[in-house]
Amino acid sequence: MTLWNGSYPFYPSANACFPFDTTRAVIVTVFLSMLATSIIILPGIRGRGRLFWFLRLVMGLFMGAVFLTIQFTRDWETGWVQANTSYKSFSHAVVSVDIGLHIGLSGLNVTLVGNPVNQINETINYNEHFSWSFDADYDHNYNQGLEKGLPSPILYVAEKFTSQSPCAVHRQYRISGHYASATLWLAFCTWLISILLFSMSILLHGGYMLLVTATLILFSLLFFFTLRNTPKCPIQFGPVSLKTDYGESFWLTLVTGLLCLLLGLGVIILNSVQPQKLKLIFNLDKRKGAEEVWDKSCLPAEPSCSMQDVLMVHLGELCEVTATQL
């Protein structure tokens, strides 16, 4: 038996795995439940309006789920590298690992997975989060990682984003992430206003609000784009380096912004060129058709019509009116 049973006293025996983030799962579950509930009442809608109503529902729920999910995702910028590196400080043990960097709007995740997972009598499977939101202290989180004795590759990557690092990217990421997040929350509010306007049959203004939503989304991407193109310090692991690129959340946000732009322009153009088709898409022509059927069901020549019914007949239908003395 060796001193401390062959382990170093600065590191805990338990693996410091990051707990599963259920925020995305909760948001997706809520919106899928709303979609399932709406599908149940779908057979109650008759005619061609059923398809248009279902498409509007899917589009609306998709945008709402995207607006809420991308606020909490950590894959706006991602990168992976496979390297042979030291595992712990004061140790000559070299492990083969996959190192991942996942950057979000409020912080970053550093992933360390062994290749294979079990090496040097340990399970190498880490996913540590370091937050730089305005209600969190990134340097304090980094110091806590030092106290816990996290593996050297994780601490090396996290150190690049500290406020004391020569890379000087901490302030840029923090401010850009804050403004991008605030802009996306504004886009979520304008999206809710557009849904309200469409439900009130104010179609033109609803299209304008979709354009405002698309503009806010594109501005949030611009904030992150300018940050992405700033010079960064190299994250080197021997002969290989960890490089990042735009992640799934960035591209999903871009697709949603373009979708809002196309839908807003489509509503405005249809309202100017073919307003009847726009009303058909939003199921507003049924009301007019019902009024026409009710008006034509009572012609002035019929004795069962009252004088009030006669006055409501369209002027084009008033060919002959005979007055009958009672």
Side-chain angles (χ1 to χ4, degrees), residues 234-265:
I235 305 177
Q236 200 75 24
F237 293 94
V240 296
S241 60
L242 176 58
K243 298 180 180 180
T244 58
D245 202 352
Y246 296 118
E248 296 180 0
S249 294
F250 181 88
W251 298 116
L252 182 61
T253 307
L254 178 60
V255 170
T256 306
L258 295 178
L259 181 61
C260 289
L261 181 63
L262 293 177
L263 291 178
L265 290 176

CSV table of all heavy atoms in Angstrom, one decimal, residues 234-265:
chain,number,residue,atom,x,y,z
A,234,PRO,N,-4.6,31.1,-28.7
A,234,PRO,CA,-4.6,29.7,-29.1
A,234,PRO,C,-4.7,28.8,-27.9
A,234,PRO,O,-4.1,29.0,-26.8
A,234,PRO,CB,-3.3,29.5,-29.8
A,234,PRO,CG,-2.4,30.5,-29.3
A,234,PRO,CD,-3.3,31.7,-29.0
A,235,ILE,N,-5.6,27.8,-28.0
A,235,ILE,CA,-5.7,26.8,-26.9
A,235,ILE,C,-5.0,25.5,-27.4
A,235,ILE,O,-5.5,24.7,-28.2
A,235,ILE,CB,-7.2,26.5,-26.6
A,235,ILE,CG1,-7.9,27.8,-26.3
A,235,ILE,CG2,-7.3,25.5,-25.5
A,235,ILE,CD1,-9.4,27.6,-26.0
A,236,GLN,N,-3.7,25.4,-27.0
A,236,GLN,CA,-2.8,24.4,-27.5
A,236,GLN,C,-2.7,23.2,-26.6
A,236,GLN,O,-2.5,23.4,-25.4
A,236,GLN,CB,-1.5,25.0,-27.8
A,236,GLN,CG,-0.6,24.3,-28.8
A,236,GLN,CD,-1.1,24.5,-30.2
A,236,GLN,OE1,-1.7,25.5,-30.6
A,236,GLN,NE2,-0.7,23.5,-31.1
A,237,PHE,N,-2.8,22.0,-27.2
A,237,PHE,CA,-2.5,20.8,-26.5
A,237,PHE,C,-1.4,20.0,-27.2
A,237,PHE,O,-1.8,19.2,-28.1
A,237,PHE,CB,-3.8,19.9,-26.3
A,237,PHE,CG,-4.8,20.5,-25.4
A,237,PHE,CD1,-5.8,21.3,-25.9
A,237,PHE,CD2,-4.8,20.3,-24.0
A,237,PHE,CE1,-6.8,21.9,-25.1
A,237,PHE,CE2,-5.7,20.9,-23.2
A,237,PHE,CZ,-6.7,21.7,-23.8
A,238,GLY,N,-0.2,20.3,-27.0
A,238,GLY,CA,0.9,19.7,-27.7
A,238,GLY,C,0.9,20.2,-29.2
A,238,GLY,O,0.8,21.4,-29.5
A,239,PRO,N,0.9,19.2,-30.1
A,239,PRO,CA,0.9,19.6,-31.5
A,239,PRO,C,-0.5,20.0,-32.1
A,239,PRO,O,-0.6,20.6,-33.2
A,239,PRO,CB,1.4,18.4,-32.2
A,239,PRO,CG,1.0,17.2,-31.3
A,239,PRO,CD,1.0,17.8,-29.9
A,240,VAL,N,-1.6,19.8,-31.3
A,240,VAL,CA,-2.9,20.1,-31.8
A,240,VAL,C,-3.5,21.3,-31.0
A,240,VAL,O,-3.0,21.6,-29.9
A,240,VAL,CB,-3.8,18.9,-31.7
A,240,VAL,CG1,-3.4,17.8,-32.6
A,240,VAL,CG2,-3.9,18.4,-30.3
A,241,SER,N,-4.4,22.0,-31.6
A,241,SER,CA,-5.1,23.1,-30.9
A,241,SER,C,-6.6,23.0,-31.0
A,241,SER,O,-7.1,22.4,-31.9
A,241,SER,CB,-4.7,24.4,-31.6
A,241,SER,OG,-5.0,24.4,-33.0
A,242,LEU,N,-7.2,23.5,-30.0
A,242,LEU,CA,-8.7,23.5,-29.9
A,242,LEU,C,-9.3,24.7,-30.6
A,242,LEU,O,-9.0,25.9,-30.2
A,242,LEU,CB,-9.1,23.5,-28.4
A,242,LEU,CG,-10.6,23.5,-28.1
A,242,LEU,CD1,-11.3,22.4,-28.8
A,242,LEU,CD2,-10.9,23.5,-26.6
A,243,LYS,N,-10.0,24.5,-31.7
A,243,LYS,CA,-10.6,25.6,-32.4
A,243,LYS,C,-12.1,25.4,-32.4
A,243,LYS,O,-12.6,24.3,-32.4
A,243,LYS,CB,-10.1,25.6,-33.9
A,243,LYS,CG,-8.6,25.8,-34.0
A,243,LYS,CD,-8.2,25.8,-35.5
A,243,LYS,CE,-6.7,26.0,-35.6
A,243,LYS,NZ,-6.2,26.0,-37.0
A,244,THR,N,-12.8,26.6,-32.3
A,244,THR,CA,-14.2,26.6,-32.2
A,244,THR,C,-14.9,27.2,-33.5
A,244,THR,O,-14.2,27.9,-34.3
A,244,THR,CB,-14.7,27.4,-31.0
A,244,THR,OG1,-14.2,28.7,-31.1
A,244,THR,CG2,-14.2,26.8,-29.7
A,245,ASP,N,-16.1,26.8,-33.7
A,245,ASP,CA,-16.9,27.3,-34.8
A,245,ASP,C,-18.4,27.5,-34.3
A,245,ASP,O,-18.7,27.1,-33.2
A,245,ASP,CB,-16.8,26.4,-36.0
A,245,ASP,CG,-17.2,27.1,-37.3
A,245,ASP,OD1,-17.6,28.3,-37.3
A,245,ASP,OD2,-17.0,26.5,-38.4
A,246,TYR,N,-19.2,28.1,-35.2
A,246,TYR,CA,-20.6,28.4,-34.8
A,246,TYR,C,-21.3,27.0,-34.6
A,246,TYR,O,-21.1,26.1,-35.3
A,246,TYR,CB,-21.3,29.1,-35.9
A,246,TYR,CG,-20.8,30.5,-36.1
A,246,TYR,CD1,-20.2,30.9,-37.4
A,246,TYR,CD2,-20.8,31.5,-35.1
A,246,TYR,CE1,-19.8,32.2,-37.6
A,246,TYR,CE2,-20.4,32.8,-35.3
A,246,TYR,CZ,-19.8,33.1,-36.5
A,246,TYR,OH,-19.3,34.4,-36.7
A,247,GLY,N,-22.1,27.0,-33.5
A,247,GLY,CA,-22.8,25.8,-33.1
A,247,GLY,C,-24.2,25.8,-33.6
A,247,GLY,O,-24.7,26.6,-34.3
A,248,GLU,N,-25.0,24.8,-33.1
A,248,GLU,CA,-26.3,24.6,-33.5
A,248,GLU,C,-27.3,25.7,-33.1
A,248,GLU,O,-28.1,26.1,-33.9
A,248,GLU,CB,-26.8,23.2,-32.9
A,248,GLU,CG,-26.1,22.0,-33.3
A,248,GLU,CD,-26.7,20.8,-32.7
A,248,GLU,OE1,-27.6,20.9,-31.9
A,248,GLU,OE2,-26.1,19.7,-33.0
A,249,SER,N,-27.1,26.3,-31.9
A,249,SER,CA,-28.0,27.4,-31.5
A,249,SER,C,-27.8,28.6,-32.4
A,249,SER,O,-28.8,29.3,-32.7
A,249,SER,CB,-27.6,27.8,-30.1
A,249,SER,OG,-28.0,26.7,-29.2
A,250,PHE,N,-26.6,28.9,-32.9
A,250,PHE,CA,-26.4,30.0,-33.8
A,250,PHE,C,-27.2,29.8,-35.1
A,250,PHE,O,-27.9,30.7,-35.5
A,250,PHE,CB,-24.9,30.2,-34.0
A,250,PHE,CG,-24.6,31.4,-34.9
A,250,PHE,CD1,-24.4,32.6,-34.4
A,250,PHE,CD2,-24.5,31.2,-36.3
A,250,PHE,CE1,-24.1,33.7,-35.2
A,250,PHE,CE2,-24.2,32.3,-37.1
A,250,PHE,CZ,-24.0,33.5,-36.6
A,251,TRP,N,-27.0,28.6,-35.7
A,251,TRP,CA,-27.7,28.4,-36.9
A,251,TRP,C,-29.2,28.3,-36.8
A,251,TRP,O,-29.9,28.7,-37.7
A,251,TRP,CB,-27.1,27.1,-37.6
A,251,TRP,CG,-25.6,27.2,-37.9
A,251,TRP,CD1,-24.6,26.5,-37.4
A,251,TRP,CD2,-25.0,28.1,-38.8
A,251,TRP,NE1,-23.4,26.9,-37.9
A,251,TRP,CE2,-23.6,27.9,-38.8
A,251,TRP,CE3,-25.5,29.1,-39.7
A,251,TRP,CZ2,-22.7,28.6,-39.6
A,251,TRP,CZ3,-24.6,29.8,-40.5
A,251,TRP,CH2,-23.3,29.6,-40.5
A,252,LEU,N,-29.6,27.7,-35.7
A,252,LEU,CA,-31.1,27.6,-35.4
A,252,LEU,C,-31.7,29.0,-35.3
A,252,LEU,O,-32.8,29.3,-35.8
A,252,LEU,CB,-31.3,26.8,-34.2
A,252,LEU,CG,-32.8,26.6,-33.8
A,252,LEU,CD1,-33.5,25.8,-34.9
A,252,LEU,CD2,-32.9,25.8,-32.5
A,253,THR,N,-31.0,29.9,-34.6
A,253,THR,CA,-31.4,31.3,-34.4
A,253,THR,C,-31.5,32.0,-35.8
A,253,THR,O,-32.4,32.8,-36.1
A,253,THR,CB,-30.5,32.1,-33.5
A,253,THR,OG1,-30.4,31.3,-32.2
A,253,THR,CG2,-31.1,33.4,-33.2
A,254,LEU,N,-30.5,31.7,-36.6
A,254,LEU,CA,-30.5,32.4,-38.0
A,254,LEU,C,-31.6,31.9,-38.8
A,254,LEU,O,-32.3,32.7,-39.5
A,254,LEU,CB,-29.1,32.0,-38.6
A,254,LEU,CG,-29.0,32.6,-40.1
A,254,LEU,CD1,-29.1,34.1,-40.1
A,254,LEU,CD2,-27.6,32.1,-40.7
A,255,VAL,N,-31.9,30.6,-38.8
A,255,VAL,CA,-33.1,30.0,-39.5
A,255,VAL,C,-34.4,30.6,-39.0
A,255,VAL,O,-35.2,31.0,-39.8
A,255,VAL,CB,-33.1,28.5,-39.4
A,255,VAL,CG1,-34.4,27.9,-40.0
A,255,VAL,CG2,-31.9,27.9,-40.1
A,256,THR,N,-34.5,30.8,-37.7
A,256,THR,CA,-35.7,31.4,-37.1
A,256,THR,C,-35.9,32.8,-37.6
A,256,THR,O,-37.0,33.3,-37.9
A,256,THR,CB,-35.7,31.2,-35.6
A,256,THR,OG1,-35.5,29.9,-35.2
A,256,THR,CG2,-37.0,31.7,-35.0
A,257,GLY,N,-34.8,33.6,-37.5
A,257,GLY,CA,-34.9,35.0,-38.0
A,257,GLY,C,-35.3,35.1,-39.4
A,257,GLY,O,-36.1,36.0,-39.8
A,258,LEU,N,-34.7,34.3,-40.3
A,258,LEU,CA,-35.0,34.3,-41.7
A,258,LEU,C,-36.5,33.9,-41.9
A,258,LEU,O,-37.2,34.5,-42.8
A,258,LEU,CB,-34.1,33.5,-42.5
A,258,LEU,CG,-32.6,33.9,-42.6
A,258,LEU,CD1,-31.8,32.9,-43.3
A,258,LEU,CD2,-32.5,35.3,-43.1
A,259,LEU,N,-36.9,32.9,-41.1
A,259,LEU,CA,-38.3,32.5,-41.2
A,259,LEU,C,-39.3,33.6,-40.9
A,259,LEU,O,-40.3,33.9,-41.5
A,259,LEU,CB,-38.6,31.3,-40.4
A,259,LEU,CG,-40.0,30.6,-40.4
A,259,LEU,CD1,-40.3,30.2,-41.8
A,259,LEU,CD2,-40.0,29.5,-39.4
A,260,CYS,N,-39.0,34.3,-39.8
A,260,CYS,CA,-39.8,35.5,-39.4
A,260,CYS,C,-39.8,36.6,-40.4
A,260,CYS,O,-40.8,37.2,-40.7
A,260,CYS,CB,-39.3,36.0,-38.0
A,260,CYS,SG,-39.6,35.0,-36.6
A,261,LEU,N,-38.7,36.8,-41.0
A,261,LEU,CA,-38.6,37.8,-42.1
A,261,LEU,C,-39.4,37.4,-43.3
A,261,LEU,O,-40.2,38.3,-43.8
A,261,LEU,CB,-37.1,37.9,-42.5
A,261,LEU,CG,-36.8,39.0,-43.6
A,261,LEU,CD1,-37.2,40.4,-43.1
A,261,LEU,CD2,-35.3,38.9,-44.0
A,262,LEU,N,-39.4,36.2,-43.7
A,262,LEU,CA,-40.1,35.7,-44.9
A,262,LEU,C,-41.6,35.8,-44.6
A,262,LEU,O,-42.4,36.2,-45.4
A,262,LEU,CB,-39.7,34.3,-45.3
A,262,LEU,CG,-38.3,34.2,-45.9
A,262,LEU,CD1,-38.0,32.7,-46.2
A,262,LEU,CD2,-38.1,35.0,-47.1
A,263,LEU,N,-42.0,35.3,-43.4
A,263,LEU,CA,-43.5,35.3,-43.1
A,263,LEU,C,-44.0,36.7,-42.9
A,263,LEU,O,-45.1,37.0,-43.4
A,263,LEU,CB,-43.7,34.6,-41.7
A,263,LEU,CG,-43.4,33.1,-41.8
A,263,LEU,CD1,-43.6,32.5,-40.4
A,263,LEU,CD2,-44.4,32.4,-42.8
A,264,GLY,N,-43.2,37.6,-42.3
A,264,GLY,CA,-43.6,39.0,-42.2
A,264,GLY,C,-43.8,39.7,-43.6
A,264,GLY,O,-44.8,40.4,-43.9
A,265,LEU,N,-42.8,39.5,-44.5
A,265,LEU,CA,-42.9,40.0,-45.8
A,265,LEU,C,-44.1,39.4,-46.6
A,265,LEU,O,-44.8,40.1,-47.4
A,265,LEU,CB,-41.6,39.8,-46.6
A,265,LEU,CG,-40.4,40.6,-46.1
A,265,LEU,CD1,-39.1,40.2,-46.9
A,265,LEU,CD2,-40.7,42.1,-46.3
